[in-house]
Amino acid sequence: MTNLFVLQLLNGVQLGVLLFLIAAGLTLVFGIMDVVNLAHGVLYMVGAYLIATFAAATGSFWWGLALMLPAAVVVGLVLEWVVIRRLYARSHLDQVLATFGLVMIASEAVKIIWGVSPLAVPMPEILSGSVPLMGPLQYPVYRIAIIVAGLAVAAGLYVVINHTRIGMLLRAGATDRMMVSALGVDIGRLFAVVFTLGAVLACLAGALVAPILSVDTGMGESVLILTFVVVVIGGIGSIKGAFFGAILVALVDTLGGVFGPILLREVLDPAAAGQAGRMLAPMLVYILMALILFAKPAGMFGGRG
Amino acid sequence: MADATIPHAAPMRRPLAGRVKAAVVLFAIFAALPPVAAALDDPFFVLIGTRILAYAIAAMALDLILGYGAMVSFGHAAYLGFGTYAVAILSSYGVHDIFLQTAAAILVSALFALVTGAISLRTRGVYFIMITLAFGQMAFFFFISLSAYGGDDGYGLAQRSTLLGSDMLENDFALFYATLATLVALFWACHRIVGSRFGRVLTGIRENPTRMEAIGYSPFRFQLAAFVISGCMTSIAGVFLANQAEFVSPAFMSWHRSGELIVMVVLGGIGTLSGAIGGAVAALLLEEALGALTEHWRLWFGLFLVLMVLYSPNGIAGLVKQVANRGRKS
């Protein structure tokens, strides 16, 4: 029981750092640019496909990762330049529609380019295998590496946002865009930087997860909605909120799925508990969101309503 | 240029009457569809027509809150799902009557809309969009895990709903006209709601909630009431969709559906009711046409959407107006 708990806890944290990488960009784009970007999940998918292609071409995961990052920058810049830039002054409804269109274009384009069958990305040699954790418990090294990489990015973001000039501009932009612009900051360039940063982080999340998931066209969708929940729970525009929100959502999702039925078995007979648990588990995250919003409509760390 | 200013100067009733006229024309075209399909010996048209009519009901219901209440609900497909599953679940228990099934769909939808609406309406803007989306997904996952009714794979209906004890809806033509009659009745209801004191308060809240509050209206109550009404109407569309497809599955409630409903409303021009109906027609016909041309129709549909938003912010209606104005000028 303890072993299972530790295992699921680690899985939860691993999902959490991935969600954070995606949510960080999304919350900045929402908070600073006030743009609803439904296409953010697409970037996660594109990251996975890019690394699959580059890793297959070079025969190495690391080369794939190294080539994926500049490609992600290009994707982010082009997307911002061609579509997103024209949406800043538009209503949320227009943004929803245009980025919904982007989702359709991207998922279909991916199908045309890479086909419908899922791709596999080889795991890097050095990170394959498992380490003993406690007693008979083993845990895959790669998942630990994801956690470490995610936490490192989170720490890096923390430093950039709280201790550098560009971070100061980001925070100022999230609080009051007009004022930042009035103080002579090139807001257009700031927006492009923010969007590209978010795109690269989402692509990175997709690339990191590629070796342990099958890379397919549906992968962006499930993650997009979870990321929305994270951003809403954490508070729009708050990186800190995105981090804690991501971990919380991931833990509730993973632990709830496993331990919900076990807990229900205490009060219900096994068959009913199994059925109720299966139905409740996928809904837990949304119930959590409803509870948090009921208490704090602007999320845990959100300043604006 | 002179005639461009006339619409602003004209009294409010004029454009409203025009919209009713537009709707009546649409209804007349619809009513003529089955005989034409029969003459062409292509019953498939009638089935597509029924599908379009059902989505028109849903789009119009969404327009009620999106257009008149500025509530961008991205979870409306959930209500389509409640309607479809009300048919499936009740009919598996031997309750085939369409009125009972509709009543069940409305009841469930009202409850769901009341609870999720009360939470969602505590927020606005981007938050509202994302929260309604998340609640829509919650309903979606609930039905995916509903293994008794096929879960992810869906569930085929043994028979269509019965109307007053007769199985006349098994006939595609009868189902078409029943859907059309419902659309007309609901259009009339929406039209009355929009023109009522309630509707005007709702529009007032859309324009300026603070001012409405200052003169003594609670925006929350009016918005929630509209949200519930809209959800219930959408579930009626679901009842007809289930009958049209004779199959239900969680695919009816995916967030893509919610997005497509918004697309329909915006295509026809928001806040016009008849526009939502026209938008449903245009979106679904475009889908069918692109689908017939290429397997990758989504790519082109997405491209169309992006271009429409970037270059014609007021939808097809706006485009028609632009072209008409240009024609008048030259």
Side-chain angles (χ1 to χ4, degrees):
Chain A
M1 191 71 173
T2 327
N3 283 351
L4 182 64
F5 183 76
V6 171
L7 204 66
Q8 293 302 331
L9 195 69
L10 281 172
N11 281 344
V13 172
Q14 182 247 303
L15 177 63
V17 296
L18 280 178
L19 279 181
F20 167 71
L21 288 182
I22 311 167
L26 196 64
T27 201
L28 283 178
V29 171
F30 277 139
I32 297 176
M33 291 140 72
D34 202 24
V35 169
V36 190
N37 182 17
L38 294 177
H40 204 71
V42 162
L43 294 167
Y44 166 79
M45 172 181 75
V46 166
Y49 272 98
L50 284 177
I51 200 168
T53 311
F54 290 138
T58 60
S60 148
F61 173 85
W62 301 108
W63 273 112
L65 192 63
L67 289 172
M68 186 280 301
L69 287 171
V73 172
V74 173
V75 169
L77 281 176
V78 168
L79 201 57
E80 201 270 347
W81 189 61
V82 174
V83 179
I84 306 291
R85 175 166 296 187
R86 296 159 198 261
L87 296 174
Y88 294 145
R90 294 298 193 78
S91 68
H92 290 145
L93 187 60
D94 283 350
Q95 297 166 354
V96 163
L97 284 173
T99 53
F100 183 60
L102 284 181
V103 171
M104 293 178 108
I105 296 175
S107 14
E108 211 57 44
V110 163
K111 266 183 216 166
I112 295 173
I113 299 172
W114 282 286
V116 285
S117 49
L119 303 180
V121 174
M123 194 172 284
E125 196 70 39
I126 190 167
L127 296 177
S128 55
S130 306
V131 284
L133 216 56
M134 43 187 274
L137 194 62
Q138 301 264 324
Y139 201 73
V141 181
Y142 190 78
R143 284 178 184 262
I144 295 177
I146 291 183
I147 296 178
V148 173
L151 291 179
V153 172
L157 268 182
Y158 173 83
V159 172
V160 167
I161 284 178
N162 288 298
H163 299 285
T164 65
R165 186 175 168 77
I166 183 99
M168 191 179 71
L169 289 178
L170 291 186
R171 277 180 292 140
T175 316
D176 195 332
R177 232 173 318 151
M178 297 287 276
M179 191 55 93
V180 174
S181 167
L183 289 173
V185 174
D186 183 349
I187 205 92
R189 218 165 68 194
L190 180 67
F191 282 3
V193 168
V194 169
F195 187 83
T196 309
L197 176 70
V200 170
L201 288 177
C203 284
L204 179 66
L208 287 180
V209 85
I212 51 173
L213 276 185
S214 68
V215 178
D216 64 39
T217 48
M219 64 185 286
E221 314 248 308
S222 49
V223 154
L224 175 73
I225 314 286
L226 269 187
T227 314
F228 273 7
V229 173
V230 167
V231 168
V232 168
I233 285 181
I236 290 176
S238 163
I239 292 277
K240 192 164 65 168
F243 184 76
F244 289 110
I247 302 287
L248 185 64
V249 164
L251 285 181
V252 166
D253 198 41
T254 354
L255 294 180
V258 179
F259 291 99
I262 296 178
L263 286 180
L264 280 173
R265 219 166 290 158
E266 303 283 318
V267 285
L268 294 169
D269 66 284
Q275 174 70 14
R278 266 201 303 283
M279 308 244 281
L280 273 177
M283 295 168 68
L284 269 181
V285 168
Y286 304 102
I287 296 170
L288 171 81
M289 179 191 74
L291 289 177
I292 287 181
L293 287 178
F294 197 74
K296 299 197 73 168
M300 294 191 298
F301 299 96
R304 297 180 296 147
Chain B
M1 277 318 284
D3 52 7
T5 58
I6 286 176
H8 293 280
M12 268 300 286
R13 296 190 69 83
R14 281 283 298 281
L16 257 180
R19 281 165 202 171
V20 174
K21 251 182 240 164
V24 169
V25 171
L26 274 172
F27 295 150
I29 295 173
F30 271 124
L33 182 79
V36 172
L40 291 173
D41 201 25
D42 197 344
F44 189 56
F45 277 131
V46 178
L47 271 179
I48 294 181
T50 312
R51 185 159 160 263
I52 291 176
L53 286 171
Y55 276 111
I57 294 176
M60 189 177 67
L62 180 61
D63 192 28
L64 195 62
I65 57 167
L66 200 159
Y68 294 91
M71 291 174 260
V72 183
S73 167
F74 210 131
H76 250 51
Y79 303 101
L80 279 183
F82 293 147
T84 54
Y85 274 94
V87 175
I89 293 175
L90 281 182
S91 97
S92 79
Y93 284 103
V95 180
H96 298 295
D97 186 73
I98 195 164
F99 290 112
L100 284 177
Q101 291 171 341
T102 308
I106 289 177
L107 193 70
V108 173
S109 300
L111 276 175
F112 187 78
L114 200 63
V115 174
T116 64
I119 295 169
S120 310
L121 282 169
R122 286 167 60 86
T123 66
R124 49 194 77 264
V126 185
Y127 279 95
F128 186 83
I129 298 174
M130 287 196 282
I131 290 162
T132 46
L133 173 59
F135 280 129
Q137 283 304 102
M138 180 173 108
F140 174 70
F141 284 123
F142 176 82
F143 283 100
I144 280 205
S145 55
L146 199 64
S147 43
Y149 292 91
D152 211 359
D153 298 328
Y155 182 83
L157 296 182
Q159 62 169 92
R160 280 185 180 161
S161 305
T162 55
L163 182 65
L164 303 170
S166 103
D167 60 355
M168 58 195 273
L169 293 182
E170 293 292 343
N171 181 312
D172 288 344
F173 284 61
L175 182 67
F176 178 90
Y177 281 113
T179 317
L180 180 60
T182 311
L183 174 65
V184 173
L186 288 178
F187 174 78
W188 182 78
C190 282
H191 183 66
R192 292 299 299 262
I193 289 174
V194 167
S196 71
R197 175 176 159 280
F198 173 80
R200 273 181 253 165
V201 173
L202 198 64
T203 319
I205 294 167
R206 175 189 71 190
E207 297 300 327
N208 192 333
T210 317
R211 200 174 285 177
M212 288 309 282
E213 211 164 351
I215 58 173
Y217 294 101
S218 152
F220 178 80
R221 284 191 194 174
F222 282 89
Q223 288 180 315
L224 185 59
F227 192 79
V228 172
I229 293 173
S230 169
C232 294
M233 275 191 194
T234 311
S235 74
I236 299 177
V239 169
F240 286 103
L241 270 182
N243 276 300
Q244 183 263 349
E246 297 181 67
F247 176 75
V248 302
S249 90
F252 282 116
M253 355 179 37
S254 83
W255 69 278
H256 281 263
R257 286 274 159 241
S258 299
E260 279 163 31
L261 286 180
I262 297 182
V263 170
M264 291 171 190
V265 174
V266 176
L267 264 185
I270 62 171
T272 54
L273 296 182
S274 52
I277 301 173
V281 177
L284 290 170
L285 285 183
L286 185 65
E287 219 180 280
E288 292 285 343
L290 287 175
L293 286 176
T294 157
E295 177 196 354
H296 301 293
W297 63 271
R298 280 173 186 278
L299 181 80
W300 302 106
F301 196 87
L303 204 60
F304 165 76
L305 260 184
V306 174
L307 291 177
M308 186 195 75
V309 172
L310 293 184
Y311 298 107
S312 172
N314 296 321
I316 287 183
L319 205 64
V320 170
K321 251 179 229 159
Q322 266 178 20
V323 172
N325 280 345
R326 208 168 292 166
R328 230 175 275 160
K329 262 184 223 159
S330 57

